[in-house]
Amino acid sequence: MTTVSDLASGTAAWSAALHAEVQQFYAYQMQLLDLAEAQRWAATFTEDATFAVPTLAEPVRGRAGLVAATTRSHAELAAAGQRHRHFMGMLDVRPRPDGAVAVRSYAVVYASEVGGRSRVHRVCVCEDVLVRGGGGELLVSARTVTRDDLA
Amino acid sequence: MTTVSDLASGTAAWSAALHAEVQQFYAYQMQLLDLAEAQRWAATFTEDATFAVPTLAEPVRGRAGLVAATTRSHAELAAAGQRHRHFMGMLDVRPRPDGAVAVRSYAVVYASEVGGRSRVHRVCVCEDVLVRGGGGELLVSARTVTRDDLA
Amino acid sequence: MTTVSDLASGTAAWSAALHAEVQQFYAYQMQLLDLAEAQRWAATFTEDATFAVPTLAEPVRGRAGLVAATTRSHAELAAAGQRHRHFMGMLDVRPRPDGAVAVRSYAVVYASEVGGRSRVHRVCVCEDVLVRGGGGELLVSARTVTRDDLA
């Protein structure tokens, strides 16, 4: 959990270029998720990434687990005639001394019924640790998502 | 239609500066639209721009057509006591070898009833081709909008 | 009130770096607000800042007034079992000749009932004047918020 003292500290290496790169990364990553491109989406996480959500007792670990979880979610959505869009923003980007980048952001999930209406589905806070892959690209090594509708 | 292989390819000329410029461009463009500044809004498209939406059999072509379409929409909204806001984000910015910039983004339209409530009206995906005008400014040359609530 | 001629003029000093810095500033500021960190949030405004909202006859003035207003709002929300998230975007960033930065943006407030549903609460336009504090940091010196659901 990011605390406010974390938020206020350690912005030595913050740069406008990094902020834009993080935005581009999330746009690409979330579009892959919503396109049901599970393998490509999972490849934006490290091999041993953790993904913690409040509805699972244990974090999902590793790319195979991520692929399985998102493939199941998409199948359920399709069966229900629903589409989801993950819209992130308010990216608070904080480089850490170890070279990783902590990002705390808001993520709103919209749901649309095909042939029906669109609405807000979930309002979430997303706390990521981003690291660099072998080609210098950003990857999520740890993600923790909380939901405003849950205690 | 942008495919995932398009998304993953050809980012040679991507820059943080371009990403920020595209964000500023859309903020300006969408605010003009919501302010009902139809002429100024249309001037952010090329003279021969195309604008395809799922509810029209043919794309709107050219600035005069854009002005007519948006003026009609605003009159209908005002008569209904409604306000719309176009909120774009998740900009996946992809420079192309020909110098144009492909941008795939999400656009959420909010509707508010004056004296009533606000709600999500539409959730859309917006695929643009941006080019440079004579003064170096960005202009939309082709826009394709899809809606999550339509098959 | 920003007019369209304001929007179209005076972008001499616009830079991608400034746009990214403004985004980071708002992410930090709004997260503090939603975390109920009233003192730290108020410290992102100048000592004599004004904050005008349509539901108050006079703007709130100064940090003590900001702390009082937001502390009261959070207590009311908590008592009602509600959470709010302030999601800004569409930042039209306009440096002014005097060194201040005018920013016109959209702000959507989401409300979630703990144990219930999430929804759009308000759709707002936010017009800020940003200035530099003693350490070079951005501060809000004047904020005017309008709501789409009010005449």
Side-chain angles (χ1 to χ4, degrees):
Chain A
M1 175 93 189
T2 302
T3 65
V4 172
S5 62
D6 291 336
L7 287 176
S9 69
T11 61
W14 188 90
S15 72
L18 177 64
H19 200 275
E21 185 185 2
V22 171
Q23 289 187 72
Q24 172 69 32
F25 171 73
Y26 282 128
Y28 176 63
Q29 185 187 54
M30 292 293 161
Q31 293 196 13
L32 287 175
L33 175 62
D34 295 333
L35 286 163
E37 289 285 342
Q39 297 282 350
R40 287 173 181 270
W41 173 73
T44 64
F45 292 77
T46 61
E47 291 281 1
D48 58 350
T50 57
F51 191 139
V53 294
T55 48
L56 293 178
E58 292 288 319
V60 177
R61 286 180 191 277
R63 288 178 179 164
L66 292 169
V67 168
T70 197
T71 300
R72 191 169 54 239
S73 294
H74 273 102
E76 292 170 359
L77 277 176
Q82 299 258 326
R83 288 187 182 125
H84 279 187
R85 294 283 166 199
H86 291 74
F87 198 119
M88 290 178 77
M90 307 306 289
L91 310 182
D92 189 39
V93 176
R94 303 277 162 172
R96 304 195 316 191
D98 65 357
V101 180
V103 185
R104 188 178 192 267
S105 65
Y106 293 170
V108 179
V109 186
Y110 299 96
S112 298
E113 192 181 348
V114 178
R117 296 180 67 107
S118 297
R119 61 182 172 80
V120 174
H121 178 57
R122 301 288 185 222
V123 179
C124 304
V125 175
C126 181
E127 296 182 278
D128 276 358
V129 178
L130 306 181
V131 298
R132 299 284 178 183
E137 77 281 13
L138 292 171
L139 298 170
V140 177
S141 70
R143 171 166 292 177
T144 302
V145 174
T146 57
R147 276 171 40 189
D148 278 11
D149 60 306
L150 298 180
Chain B
M1 177 93 191
T2 302
T3 66
V4 171
S5 61
D6 291 335
L7 287 176
S9 68
T11 61
W14 187 91
S15 72
L18 177 64
H19 201 275
E21 185 185 2
V22 171
Q23 289 188 72
Q24 172 68 32
F25 171 73
Y26 283 127
Y28 176 63
Q29 185 187 52
M30 291 294 161
Q31 292 196 13
L32 287 176
L33 176 62
D34 294 332
L35 287 163
E37 290 284 342
Q39 297 282 349
R40 286 173 181 271
W41 174 73
T44 64
F45 292 79
T46 61
E47 291 280 2
D48 60 349
T50 58
F51 191 140
V53 292
T55 48
L56 293 177
E58 292 288 320
V60 177
R61 285 179 191 278
R63 290 178 178 165
L66 292 169
V67 169
T70 196
T71 301
R72 190 169 54 239
S73 295
H74 273 102
E76 292 169 358
L77 277 176
Q82 299 259 326
R83 287 188 182 124
H84 279 187
R85 294 282 165 201
H86 291 75
F87 198 118
M88 291 178 77
M90 307 306 289
L91 310 182
D92 190 40
V93 176
R94 301 281 163 171
R96 304 194 318 190
D98 65 358
V101 181
V103 185
R104 188 177 190 269
S105 65
Y106 294 169
V108 179
V109 186
Y110 299 95
S112 298
E113 191 181 348
V114 178
R117 294 180 69 104
S118 296
R119 61 182 173 80
V120 174
H121 178 58
R122 302 288 185 222
V123 178
C124 303
V125 175
C126 181
E127 296 182 279
D128 276 358
V129 178
L130 306 181
V131 297
R132 298 284 178 184
E137 77 281 13
L138 292 171
L139 297 170
V140 176
S141 69
R143 172 168 291 177
T144 302
V145 175
T146 56
R147 275 171 41 189
D148 278 9
D149 60 306
L150 298 179
Chain C
M1 174 91 190
T2 302
T3 65
V4 171
S5 61
D6 291 336
L7 287 176
S9 68
T11 62
W14 186 91
S15 72
L18 177 65
H19 200 275
E21 185 185 2
V22 171
Q23 289 187 73
Q24 172 68 33
F25 171 74
Y26 283 128
Y28 176 62
Q29 185 186 54
M30 291 294 160
Q31 293 196 14
L32 287 176
L33 175 63
D34 294 333
L35 286 163
E37 290 285 343
Q39 298 283 348
R40 287 173 180 270
W41 174 74
T44 65
F45 292 78
T46 61
E47 291 280 2
D48 59 349
T50 58
F51 191 140
V53 293
T55 47
L56 293 177
E58 293 287 320
V60 177
R61 285 179 192 279
R63 289 178 180 166
L66 292 169
V67 169
T70 196
T71 301
R72 191 169 54 239
S73 295
H74 274 102
E76 292 169 359
L77 277 175
Q82 299 258 326
R83 288 188 182 123
H84 279 187
R85 294 283 165 200
H86 291 74
F87 199 119
M88 291 178 76
M90 307 307 287
L91 310 181
D92 189 40
V93 176
R94 302 280 163 171
R96 304 195 315 190
D98 66 358
V101 180
V103 184
R104 187 177 192 269
S105 66
Y106 293 169
V108 178
V109 187
Y110 298 96
S112 298
E113 191 181 349
V114 179
R117 296 181 68 105
S118 297
R119 61 181 173 79
V120 174
H121 178 58
R122 302 288 185 222
V123 179
C124 304
V125 175
C126 181
E127 296 182 280
D128 275 358
V129 178
L130 306 181
V131 297
R132 297 284 178 183
E137 77 281 15
L138 291 171
L139 298 171
V140 177
S141 69
R143 172 167 291 178
T144 302
V145 175
T146 56
R147 277 171 39 189
D148 278 11
D149 60 306
L150 298 179

